């Protein structure tokens, strides 16, 4: 087996992990290797950074990467969308720090996951819309340590820790819809959809300010699961008077 073949196999494994296609045992083996093999971990993190750029179809960096691959490889046929082109033009003065050798990794990612996935603009992705807001739970000076920890963990995208703290807080305030909402967001980020759906159903049916937020997050949950029909149905339930209406309409235009 050549070095090129070995790299190709590793990249396919990286894609399978990022796409959550590995079984539980395969995932455990992969994560164990990440912890034990620093070189493997470094290669994966490099791959993941480029993968995220390519996955976000509205990213100007993605358009630049794909255009460069096209220029260096006549066999790669990429046509940027109007939206992507416009965003690239608006940000052309921005310097994108992307070392030349990384384009080889980018090209292998496209081959590993299938070029058609990145050229198929018919379906949006979760990462296109899921920009989580910064939360502020500590508006009072007398808040406890758990509340502070929940806020810090969530805002730093450490959703596993945030979930632990939200659960502790909800033991004291089980009917707190704000905590339930942010817990549901953390659950979706961790791909724990069933519990998130249960919480979001309750919140969306309430008169809380979080009701429309819950509908929007539920639509994104379905989007992340590639359940496009359900995502569309929930997005359609968001009314013009809801703060999330414009975002929902943008999502619907892509579905």
């Amino acid at each position: 087996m050549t070095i090129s073949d070995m790299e190709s196999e590793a990249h396919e494994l990286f894609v399978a992990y990022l796409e959550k296609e590995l079984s539980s045992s395969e995932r455990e083996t992969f994560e164990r290797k990440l912890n034990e093999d620093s070189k493997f971990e470094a290669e994966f993190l490099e791959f993941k950074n480029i993968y995220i750029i390519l996955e976000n179809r509205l990213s100007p960096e993605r358009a630049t990467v794909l255009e460069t691959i096209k220029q260096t490889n006549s066999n790669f046929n990429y046509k940027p969308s109007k939206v992507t082109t416009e965003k690239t033009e608006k940000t052309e003065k921005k310097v994108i720090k992307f070392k030349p050798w990384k384009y080889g990794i980018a090209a292998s990612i496209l081959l590993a996951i299938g070029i058609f996935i990145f050229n198929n603009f018919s379906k949006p992705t979760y990462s296109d819309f899921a920009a989580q807001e910064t939360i502020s739970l500590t508006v009072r000076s007398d808040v406890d340590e758990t509340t502070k920890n929940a806020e810090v963990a969530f805002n730093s995208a450490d959703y596993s820790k945030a979930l632990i703290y939200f659960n502790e807080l909800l033991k004291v305030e089980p009917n707190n819809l704000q905590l339930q909402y942010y817990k549901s967001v953390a659950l979706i980020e961790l791909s724990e959809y069933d519990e998130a759906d249960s919480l979001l159903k309750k919140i969306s049916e309430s008169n809380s300010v979080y009701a429309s937020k819950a509908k929007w997050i539920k639509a994104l949950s379905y989007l992340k699961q590639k359940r496009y029909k359900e995502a569309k149905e929930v997005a359609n339930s968001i009314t013009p008077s809801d703060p999330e209406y414009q975002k929902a309409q943008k999502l619907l235009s892509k579905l």
Side-chain angles (χ1 to χ4, degrees), residues 171 177 189 221:
K171 288 179 182 178
L177 294 181
E189 289 288 345
S221 174

Side-chain angles (χ1 to χ4, degrees), residues 206-219:
S206 71
N207 293 321
S208 165
V209 294
Y210 291 96
S212 64
K213 284 178 174 287
K215 291 178 182 178
W216 171 242
I217 288 296
K218 189 169 185 178

Side-chain angles (χ1 to χ4, degrees), residues 7 11 39 42-50 65 68-69 72 97-109:
E7 289 179 346
H11 291 170
K39 182 180 178 181
E43 290 175 354
F44 171 69
L45 292 176
E46 190 71 66
F47 184 96
K48 181 181 178 181
N49 289 336
I50 299 171
V65 172
T68 301
I69 294 173
T72 57
K97 298 179 179 179
F98 206 78
K99 297 178 181 179
W101 63 268
K102 292 184 180 180
Y103 291 106
I105 297 178
S108 71
I109 291 175

Side-chain angles (χ1 to χ4, degrees), residues 58 60 63 80-92:
L58 300 182
S81 68
K82 180 180 178 182
V83 173
T84 304
T85 303
E86 289 175 351
K87 289 180 75 66
T88 303
E89 291 173 350
K90 289 178 183 178
T91 58
E92 61 183 1

Side-chain angles (χ1 to χ4, degrees), residues 1-2 12 24 32 58-59 65 80 84-85 91 99 102 130 162-163 182 199 205 208 225 233 237 247 253:
M1 181 180 291
T2 66
E12 288 178 7
S24 297
R32 184 164 55 250
L58 300 182
S59 165
V65 172
T84 304
T85 303
T91 58
K99 297 178 181 179
K102 292 184 180 180
L163 184 59
Y182 289 124
L199 286 171
E205 293 174 352
S208 165
Q225 299 172 67
E233 289 175 353
S237 72
K247 290 188 291 186
S253 71

